Structure formats: C-alpha cells, structure tokens
Amino acid sequence: GQQVMQIPQYQHVQEGEDFTTYCNSSTTLSNIQWYKQRPGGHPVFLIQLVKSGEVKKQKRLTFQFGEAKKNSSLHITATQTTDVGTYFCAGPIKGSGNTGKLIFGQGTTLQVKP
Amino acid sequence: NAGVTQTPKFRILKIGQSMTLQCAQDMNHNYMYWYRQDPGMGLKLIYYSVGAGITDKGEVPNGYNVSRSTTEDFPLRLELAAPSQTSVYFCASSYLATFTDTQYFGPGTRLTVL
C-alpha cells in the first residue's frame, strides 16, 4: 500500500548546527504538507508545497518538494532550542478524492543541546 | 475562536470498559478526522467525516465508532477497550478537502487501557 517514510527517525544536534529531515513517498503526491509537534503537544501545520521542484522558506526553515513529487525535505539552519519537536510530512491518500485524508510519515524527532 | 477542543485530556480505562472521546470545533469546518498516535509513530487515521451525518472508516477503524450529528461535534466511541488502544488520540478539522487546505488539530486525549 501507499507509504510515506521519513529519515532519520531521531536527530540530536548542538544548538547552532543545521538539521535536515527527508520524506519519501511510494507514490506521486499532488501536494505535501509539513507539521511540527512540540513535546506533549499536538501537530501544527507549517507549510504546504504543491509544485514540482518548489522551494519555500520560513525564516530559518527551508522546504523543498522534489521534481518527481515523491520526496520532500525540511532544512533548518542554525538550530535553536525552540526548534525541538517532531516534524511530520503528510500527503493526500491516493484515491481518496475530496475527503482530505492524509497519510503521515512517522516523523523525525529533533533534540537540540544548548 | 477556541479552535478544536477535546475532552478529556487524560483517561485510564480498564480492559472491557467503554468511553467516548469528545471533539468539537467552532470554525464551521465541514471535514473532521480522528487519529491515533502511538509512541515513535506517525498519525494513523481512524475515522473521518465530510459533513454532518456522513462518516467513513480510515486506516485503523476496528474497535471504534463515530457519529456526526452536527457540524461542530465528532465524538469517538471506544467499545470494549483493549490494551492495544492505549494511545494518544487527536481530532482534527479542515474547512475544505481541497489540496490547498490544511488540518487543525486539537490538544489530544491520552488514553491508557490497563
């Protein structure tokens, strides 16, 4: 069945270092969304990418959508302790029509040492 | 707006007991979703609804039931609780199911079945 995989599962970095998480889908996606979940919190929407090869920036965060629309990445420059949390990518479930159903990757948990 | 609210925040159940997890949203969203999140895992869709009176199964519906009598409320019913249902449950909603829309999550209910 359809799968969305993220690597790495965990990442520990020193504050100020960069961080990247990768998202790979078994199928072509019409769009991809990224969510952040702080420890003990709930997922919060960060961004959505729609176009092949699209790159979007939010301050220190850079999001890319692959040319084939099967992979995506999130890069954080100069991490801060406020970046701690789990980052999820999600894409529409194939064949789900206009239901809004998403399939989520298992997430990448980022720990930042001050 | 309160957004998406969930009650209770925490609950401990004994095997075989039943309970209802409440979810409400005040954003006039048509689409609502129930997810479960197991440790170190992504979100798995349990049930979803595209409007009042319309519900359908997601990826992991066994052991659960839902109803959607109003636009605002989307309760999740657990019958005969089992230890495998120990998880964090998130309710989410979105206004549209188009590929440009995003999901807003509630704070979650942490359920333990002993």
Side-chain angles (χ1 to χ4, degrees):
Chain A
Q2 184 181 4
Q3 290 186 330
V4 174
M5 304 295 292
Q6 281 184 256
I7 53 169
Q9 190 171 2
Y10 299 98
Q11 184 86 53
H12 291 78
V13 300
Q14 198 73 40
E15 189 172 21
E17 290 181 340
D18 291 356
F19 159 77
T20 304
T21 173
Y22 299 92
C23 176
N24 296 294
S25 171
S26 60
T27 62
T28 302
L29 300 171
S30 60
N31 71 90
I32 195 156
Q33 300 179 12
W34 285 91
Y35 291 79
K36 177 183 179 181
Q37 183 178 25
R38 294 184 188 275
H42 59 277
V44 174
F45 172 77
L46 291 177
I47 207 161
Q48 182 174 68
L49 305 169
V50 177
K51 298 177 184 175
S52 168
E54 188 170 13
V55 177
K56 285 188 176 181
K57 291 191 176 184
Q58 288 181 349
K59 297 182 181 178
R60 294 177 295 103
L61 277 61
T62 301
F63 302 84
Q64 291 189 328
F65 199 9
E67 294 290 341
K69 302 183 81 174
K70 293 183 73 174
N71 54 70
S72 181
S73 65
L74 158 58
H75 179 81
I76 303 178
T77 304
T79 54
Q80 299 176 357
T81 54
T82 52
D83 296 324
V84 164
T86 301
Y87 294 85
F88 293 98
C89 62
I93 292 178
K94 201 172 181 66
S96 62
N98 286 334
T99 61
K101 292 196 293 183
L102 296 174
I103 180 169
F104 283 79
Q106 74 270 39
T108 295
T109 299
L110 173 64
Q111 298 274 20
V112 179
K113 291 180 248 182
Chain B
N1 284 354
V4 180
T5 57
Q6 292 183 241
T7 56
K9 285 187 169 52
F10 304 92
R11 184 73 185 268
I12 298 175
L13 281 182
K14 293 183 179 178
I15 294 172
Q17 286 186 321
S18 299
M19 76 164 293
T20 299
L21 281 66
Q22 301 291 346
C23 173
Q25 52 88 12
D26 62 359
M27 298 176 282
N28 200 31
H29 284 176
N30 291 317
Y31 299 87
M32 296 187 75
Y33 312 88
W34 273 106
Y35 295 92
R36 60 176 287 171
Q37 183 178 33
D38 299 321
M41 303 295 287
L43 297 140
K44 302 286 187 186
L45 182 66
I46 304 171
Y47 269 95
Y48 70 99
S49 170
V50 300
I54 307 170
T55 63
D56 205 348
K57 296 176 182 178
E59 185 183 0
V60 290
N62 291 345
Y64 307 95
N65 253 311
V66 294
S67 60
R68 184 100 181 267
S69 55
T70 66
T71 300
E72 294 77 20
D73 301 298
F74 190 39
L76 177 72
R77 177 84 178 158
L78 276 73
E79 304 282 2
L80 299 174
S84 60
Q85 293 178 305
T86 294
S87 191
V88 181
Y89 292 84
F90 290 102
C91 178
S93 72
S94 64
Y95 181 61
L96 298 171
T98 66
F99 66 85
T100 57
D101 206 8
T102 65
Q103 294 186 12
Y104 298 84
F105 285 80
T109 294
R110 295 179 183 275
L111 176 67
T112 302
V113 182
L114 300 173

